[in-house]
């Protein structure tokens, strides 16, 4: 349970809001690089932390992220012409480069230098890992580049998708770090169904509650869901939470009937505004091999496959159609009757309403990782409010992995898995 005040602090991300000021201190995904496929391609709208922006790629391939509204009379630059090194507003022809400088004004007399006095809002961007990242914070506080391991592997080793989720960023993040729900929400109830999910028949993962252990770090924390398995052993699912909104999880045991492979996946939940977030879903092979079609298919089956997405990155299965729940499937095949593990997550997170009122919760022991994440975010909000730096704006998260391990009962996983979770 959280006080109403703390709930407000955690969920509001606009300019000047305590959490808004925290999140503005990190690089954050703004759009997929593929949304701007080439020089002078059409601009796209971007909504980040309640700010309405427009992204474009200029003639040289450089990306700009500007206020959506032209500083002359506030027309949307989405309708602008992307031409010869700048984006030109179609109303009176003011033209801006990627840095927000006004290059030309078609409604001014020849010789006028008025354009040199006008700038539009522009934010720094960097293209990395198939994603265009933006920094919306104070210039002198810009952190090192977002070199997560997944952004550094060759393109052939990585798959990134994104989807629009209709709820506050924090309830989506909390779904991602809540390891206890996985074998419940995502379980299959029929041993023969072909639908993806976690089988209740496997020897490794049953529906029992895991023991949760959280190990705080300077980038967030690593945490493990620990479950007893036969032969006096324990299955450790070692995850990472990187401030302020990244989850990294191991994939090896998520793949049914296959040899364990060197795959890691994760999500990043970026607030579009306080009632919507954009979820970046990524997976990569850290072992030096490109992803196979099979790997990609596994990821797509979670619910982000090409046939599942609408052009605006909403999912075909969404709130307006109850995520296409099939009650027959729920009765005989899967716990939810909703197709796709990510869609199941999305459904239950959105079902809480746009911003859940956490003062009404009744938390249990399995919610420990969520409680600690909230605490860290609140601590960062007060640190930033006092003029300090939030957690995780250094480089220590560059070197983190999520790993599954099987260890003899009673082994200290933090020590036993340290080399694999911090490999470099
Ligand atoms: S509103 Fe953009 S040039 Fe006038
Ligand atoms: Fe889930």
């Amino acid at each position: 349970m959280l006080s109403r005040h703390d709930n407000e602090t955690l969920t509001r991300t606009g300019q000047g809001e305590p959490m808004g000021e925290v999140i503005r201190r990190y690089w954050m995904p703004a759009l997929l690089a593929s949304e701007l496929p080439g020089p002078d391609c059409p601009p796209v709208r971007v909504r980040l932390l309640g700010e309405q922006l427009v992204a474009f790629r200029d003639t040289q391939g450089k990306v700009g992220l500007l206020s959506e509204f032209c500083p002359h009379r506030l027309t949307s630059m989405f309708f602008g012409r992307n031409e010869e090194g700048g984006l030109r507003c179609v109303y009176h022809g003011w033209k801006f480069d990627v840095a927000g400088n006004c290059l030309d004004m078609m409604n001014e007399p020849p010789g006028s230098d008025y354009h040199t006095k006008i700038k539009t809002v522009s934010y720094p961007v960097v293209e990395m890992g198939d994603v265009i990242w933006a920094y919306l914070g104070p210039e002198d506080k810009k952190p090192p580049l977002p070199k997560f391991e997944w952004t550094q592997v060759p393109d052939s080793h990585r798959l990134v998708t994104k989807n629009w989720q209709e709820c506050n960023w924090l309830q989506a993040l909390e779904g991602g770090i809540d390891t206890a729900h996985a074998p419940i929400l995502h379980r299959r109830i029929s041993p023969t169904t072909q639908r993806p999910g976690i089988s209740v028949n496997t020897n490794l993962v049953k529906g029992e509650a895991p023991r949760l252990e959280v190990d705080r770090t300077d980038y967030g924390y690593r945490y493990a869901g620990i479950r007893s398995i036969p032969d006096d052993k324990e299955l450790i699912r070692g995850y990472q939470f990187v401030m302020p909104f990244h989850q990294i999880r191991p994939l090896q045991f998520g793949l049914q009937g296959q040899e364990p492979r060197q795959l890691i996946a994760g999500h990043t939940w970026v607030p579009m505004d306080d009632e919507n977030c954009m979820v970046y879903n990524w997976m990569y092979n850290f072992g030096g091999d490109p992803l196979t079609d099979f790997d990609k298919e596994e990821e797509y089956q979670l619910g982000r496959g090409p046939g599942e997405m609408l052009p605006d990155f909403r999912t075909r299965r969404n709130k307006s159609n109850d995520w296409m729940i099939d009650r027959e499937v729920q009765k005989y095949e899967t716990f939810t009757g909703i197709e796709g593990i990510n869609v199941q997550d999305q459904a239950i997170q959105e079902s809480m309403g746009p911003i859940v009122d956490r003062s009404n919760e009744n938390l249990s022991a399995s919610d420990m990782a969520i409680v600690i994440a909230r605490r860290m975010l609140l601590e960062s909000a007060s640190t930033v409010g006092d003029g300090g730096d939030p957690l995780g704006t250094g480089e220590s998260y560059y070197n983190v992995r999520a790993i599954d391990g099987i260890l003899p009962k009673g082994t200290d996983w933090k020590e036993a898995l340290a080399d694999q979770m911090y490999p470099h």
Side-chain angles (χ1 to χ4, degrees):
M1 183 181 143
L2 212 58
S3 69
R4 286 236 164 94
H5 178 267
D6 283 351
N7 199 41
E8 282 290 297
T9 302
L10 285 167
T11 52
R12 301 290 172 188
T13 63
Q15 264 176 356
E17 301 284 356
M19 195 50 56
E21 294 307 305
V22 170
I23 296 177
R24 279 172 175 75
R25 298 288 297 277
Y26 303 86
W27 287 98
M28 68 187 111
L31 67 164
L32 296 174
S34 58
E35 292 178 69
L36 296 176
D40 294 335
C41 64
V44 299
R45 290 192 184 94
V46 174
R47 192 156 173 77
L48 270 185
L49 307 180
E51 299 187 36
Q52 282 177 251
L53 307 169
V54 69
F56 71 106
R57 199 184 285 280
D58 75 5
T59 312
Q60 263 130 46
K62 283 188 291 197
V63 175
L65 184 64
L66 310 181
S67 165
E68 183 183 341
F69 303 107
C70 172
H72 177 217
R73 286 193 16 229
L74 294 313
T75 299
S76 173
M77 297 292 289
F78 170 76
F79 298 98
R81 293 178 60 85
N82 188 5
E83 53 181 27
E84 292 154 43
L87 186 62
R88 193 187 288 278
C89 177
V90 288
Y91 202 1
H92 312 95
W94 289 20
K95 178 175 169 180
F96 300 91
D97 68 12
V98 294
N101 300 306
C102 187
L103 304 175
D104 184 37
M105 294 172 167
M106 289 168 74
N107 62 341
E108 277 290 295
S112 160
D113 69 347
Y114 184 32
H115 70 275
T116 63
K117 302 183 173 67
I118 296 288
K119 239 192 133 166
T120 192
V121 172
S122 85
Y123 291 115
V125 293
V126 61
E127 210 167 327
M128 194 174 270
D130 299 331
V131 167
I132 294 166
W133 301 72
Y135 175 70
L136 272 56
E139 182 56 38
D140 59 334
K141 302 280 192 190
K142 202 195 289 174
L145 294 176
K147 292 185 183 171
F148 289 89
E149 190 175 51
W150 67 268
T151 67
Q152 301 304 298
V153 295
D155 291 354
S156 56
H157 294 40
R158 172 183 55 241
L159 176 68
V160 189
T161 63
K162 76 172 198 179
N163 64 282
W164 180 338
Q165 193 161 313
E166 295 174 76
C167 69
N168 182 262
W169 72 285
L170 185 64
Q171 75 209 49
L173 166 69
E174 289 179 350
I177 54 182
D178 170 26
T179 170
H181 80 269
I184 303 170
L185 180 75
H186 304 311
R187 79 161 63 183
R188 300 193 285 193
I189 53 175
S190 153
T192 53
T193 180
Q194 294 304 304
R195 297 178 195 279
I198 294 173
S199 169
V200 290
N201 291 330
T202 164
N203 282 333
L204 290 181
V205 178
K206 297 196 171 65
E208 66 171 74
R211 193 171 87 244
L212 254 193
E213 290 184 11
V214 177
D215 182 31
R216 283 186 67 143
T217 65
D218 61 356
Y219 57 79
Y221 56 71
R222 58 177 174 151
Y223 63 114
I226 303 167
R227 294 179 171 90
S228 292
I229 56 172
D231 302 328
D232 243 10
K233 293 201 167 111
E234 287 172 331
L235 170 66
I236 317 289
R237 282 188 66 81
Y239 293 68
Q240 302 276 2
F241 164 59
V242 178
M243 284 280 287
F245 43 40
H246 308 271
Q247 174 246 46
I248 308 176
R249 66 183 195 279
L251 256 195
Q252 291 92 328
F253 284 99
L255 302 171
Q256 302 289 336
Q258 294 292 312
E259 284 298 303
R261 277 165 300 157
Q262 294 172 305
L263 300 177
I264 293 178
H267 303 283
T268 299
W269 292 273
V270 185
M272 299 165 72
D273 54 35
D274 294 343
E275 299 192 349
N276 295 276
C277 63
M278 195 63 84
V279 192
Y280 288 78
N281 315 286
W282 41 266
M283 73 182 294
Y284 70 105
N285 187 315
F286 62 86
D289 296 320
L291 292 182
T292 64
D293 288 345
F294 180 84
D295 296 333
K296 291 182 188 169
E297 193 46 43
E298 284 283 333
E299 176 68 15
Y300 288 146
Q301 278 190 13
L302 299 177
R304 304 287 174 259
E308 293 296 318
M309 303 305 299
L310 301 175
D312 63 358
F313 295 98
R314 287 177 204 261
T315 47
R316 200 166 62 85
R317 300 162 200 277
N318 58 45
K319 205 172 185 170
S320 71
N321 53 32
D322 285 327
W323 303 275
M324 299 190 187
I325 186 170
D326 183 326
R327 298 292 185 180
E328 282 297 294
V329 174
Q330 186 175 33
K331 200 164 189 135
Y332 299 113
E333 296 187 67
T334 66
F335 208 59
T336 57
I338 294 170
E339 196 81 21
I341 286 178
N342 282 344
V343 186
Q344 293 161 6
D345 287 321
Q346 178 182 349
I348 50 93
Q349 292 156 16
E350 291 180 344
S351 77
M352 298 169 183
I355 305 180
V356 69
D357 179 359
R358 292 171 177 78
S359 69
N360 289 329
E361 291 175 338
N362 296 283
L363 297 177
S364 75
S366 76
D367 298 312
M368 181 170 62
I370 291 167
V371 171
I372 295 175
R374 292 175 186 174
R375 204 176 291 154
M376 293 176 116
L377 289 162
L378 286 169
E379 283 167 15
S380 279
S382 64
T383 307
V384 170
D386 293 341
D389 298 329
L391 275 178
T393 46
E395 297 184 350
S396 56
Y397 68 86
Y398 289 6
N399 180 36
V400 306
R401 283 182 188 161
I403 293 293
D404 272 338
I406 292 177
L407 299 174
K409 200 166 248 151
T411 312
D412 180 357
W413 64 273
K414 296 190 273 302
E415 216 163 282
L417 299 180
D419 288 350
Q420 293 175 68
M421 296 186 90
Y422 303 110
H424 307 302

